[in-house]
Each structure stands twice: as structure tokens, then as C-alpha cells.
């Protein structure tokens, strides 16, 4: 149960980038690129874009990633 029962005033935030769908991840990884494509397609098909806050991400730079990961880890990923 939510403390604020006025859920009608809340808006969903949605982050998307076509690049997400081109990743090849381990089979056991929870993010499924095909699922992302389907969700994005459904959101557009049902005209839900006016009901949500849509954000399109940009590609993170090494400097961006270093805000959350050790620089040596980023360097390892780049090799």
C-alpha cells in the first residue's frame, strides 16, 4: 500500500536507446534485448508516449562510467 493514494497524478519515467537492443548478453542475464524492442514497440503502438516521461539516453563516456566504476575496470573493458 502506498502512503500517497493519489496514484493518478504520478507519471511513469521510461528510458530507452536503440543501442540497448544490440547488446549480446549472457543467456542468464535478466535484460533481454528482444523484450526491450517489444516493450518499446507496444508503448508506441498503444500511444502511451503522451502518458509517460520518455528519456532517450546517450552513450556514456569513459569519464561518465568512472563516476560509478573504478578506472581500472573501465580500462579493462575497453581492451
Amino acid at each position: 500500500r502506498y502512503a500517497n493514494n493519489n496514484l493518478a497524478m504520478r507519471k511513469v519515467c521510461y528510458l530507452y536507446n536503440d543501442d540497448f537492443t544490440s547488446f549480446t548478453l549472457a543467456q542468464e542475464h535478466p535484460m533481454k534485448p528482444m523484450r526491450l524492442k517489444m516493450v518499446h514497440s507496444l508503448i508506441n503502438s498503444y500511444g502511451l508516449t503522451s502518458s509517460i516521461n520518455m528519456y532517450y539516453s546517450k552513450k556514456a563516456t569513459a569519464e561518465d562510467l568512472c563516476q560509478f566504476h573504478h578506472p581500472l575496470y573501465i580500462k579493462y573493458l575497453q581492451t
Side-chain angles (χ1 to χ4, degrees):
R1 190 131 172 103
Y2 294 98
N4 180 358
N5 289 328
N6 192 5
L7 296 179
M9 299 300 290
R10 295 183 183 193
K11 218 172 187 185
V12 172
C13 293
Y14 175 68
L15 176 69
Y16 185 78
N17 184 315
D18 282 331
D19 290 344
F20 294 161
T21 63
S22 64
F23 294 136
T24 303
L25 304 167
Q27 189 171 1
E28 64 274 2
H29 194 283
M31 187 178 93
K32 306 295 182 208
M34 188 62 188
R35 188 182 307 155
L36 295 176
K37 285 182 183 181
M38 290 186 333
V39 168
H40 190 67
S41 177
L42 286 169
I43 286 171
N44 287 314
S45 295
Y46 281 99
L48 298 174
T49 55
S50 62
S51 302
I52 61 178
N53 292 321
M54 288 190 70
Y55 298 95
Y56 292 89
S57 65
K58 64 177 183 74
K59 187 174 182 177
T61 65
E63 184 178 323
D64 294 333
L65 295 172
C66 284
Q67 293 179 43
F68 302 96
H69 301 286
H70 194 282
L72 291 176
Y73 177 64
I74 302 305
K75 186 175 181 178
Y76 168 76
L77 293 175
Q78 292 174 324
T79 59

